[in-house]
Amino acid sequence: MTLAPEVLWAQRDNLVYLTIQLTDIHEPTIKLDNDKLHFKGKGEHEQRWYEVELEFHDQVDPELSKQHLTARNLHFIIYKKGKMGYWPRLLKNKNKPHFLKTDFAKWRDEDDEDDEAGPEGQDAFGGMDFSSIMNSAGGPAFGGGAPAGEEEDSEDEEMPELEEAPGAKP
């Protein structure tokens, strides 16, 4: 009996990231066509057979696509063919299989595509430096030091000894 491995996926405008979560893969058979991916291989500690076939929502380009087998899993970068854009789902079939999961580490929404292309080091708010705004606001709550008119105390004050509560045992 073959088992279905866990499959993670995420997408961009022009490609799909796909990861077959299976350790110690041996004897893999991988076939990527214009519209589907077929994987079969032994994996995990027990070296049991795993198999999965995914019929994609739209056409892909097997020639441009890449795969990378590691000791922990099998990664794919599958390039979309023809009309670019986000797919509403990975598979042609609307019923999502139990083994298919979203790869949140690689996931980006369509709206986030622009953020990714921005200059390096710039955040989603157009590169604003919030630390300088907070420091100029003043007050310890904003990291701006002591409130106006008060000196900052750089030395810790000595704390008084705690009194024992009545009836407390030493």
Side-chain angles (χ1 to χ4, degrees):
M1 178 176 119
T2 60
L3 303 169
E6 181 179 62
V7 177
L8 303 176
W9 82 286
Q11 67 175 318
R12 299 292 188 279
D13 188 49
N14 63 335
L15 58 85
V16 172
Y17 293 109
L18 201 86
T19 304
I20 296 177
Q21 291 288 92
L22 196 59
T23 61
D24 300 324
I25 297 174
H26 293 283
E27 301 177 42
T29 303
I30 302 163
K31 185 167 186 199
L32 179 62
D33 292 329
N34 289 328
D35 61 346
K36 68 176 131 183
L37 169 71
H38 181 265
F39 165 81
K40 184 174 183 176
K42 287 183 178 180
E44 297 295 325
H45 180 69
E46 302 83 23
Q47 288 298 296
R48 297 173 75 181
W49 282 101
Y50 289 83
E51 185 171 19
V52 66
E53 185 164 289
L54 304 169
E55 190 172 355
F56 298 121
H57 180 268
D58 212 334
Q59 296 286 305
V60 298
D61 190 340
E63 302 296 319
L64 284 178
S65 300
K66 300 172 184 161
Q67 67 185 37
H68 182 67
L69 178 62
T70 70
R72 298 187 62 152
N73 47 33
L74 175 59
H75 294 283
F76 291 92
I77 298 177
I78 302 172
Y79 286 89
K80 297 176 182 178
K81 186 187 268 187
K83 175 182 83 169
M84 296 296 166
Y86 274 68
W87 295 347
R89 59 189 172 279
L90 176 65
L91 304 178
K92 187 171 276 196
N93 185 348
K94 289 184 181 185
N95 297 327
K96 185 181 136 213
H98 71 281
F99 57 83
L100 185 62
K101 312 241 190 279
T102 302
D103 189 344
F104 288 106
K106 292 183 177 135
W107 189 264
R108 298 280 185 277
D109 288 328
E110 253 178 293
D111 300 339
D112 294 341
E113 280 282 312
D114 296 336
D115 295 342
E116 210 174 88
E120 221 172 285
Q122 203 174 50
D123 61 22
F125 295 98
M128 292 178 69
D129 182 8
F130 283 101
S131 62
S132 65
I133 294 170
M134 299 307 276
N135 286 336
S136 67
F142 294 105
E150 291 184 25
E151 290 182 26
E152 274 192 58
D153 187 11
S154 61
E155 294 182 28
D156 290 339
E157 293 182 24
E158 295 260 340
M159 296 296 291
E161 292 291 323
L162 292 177
E163 295 179 25
E164 289 188 27
K169 294 182 181 177

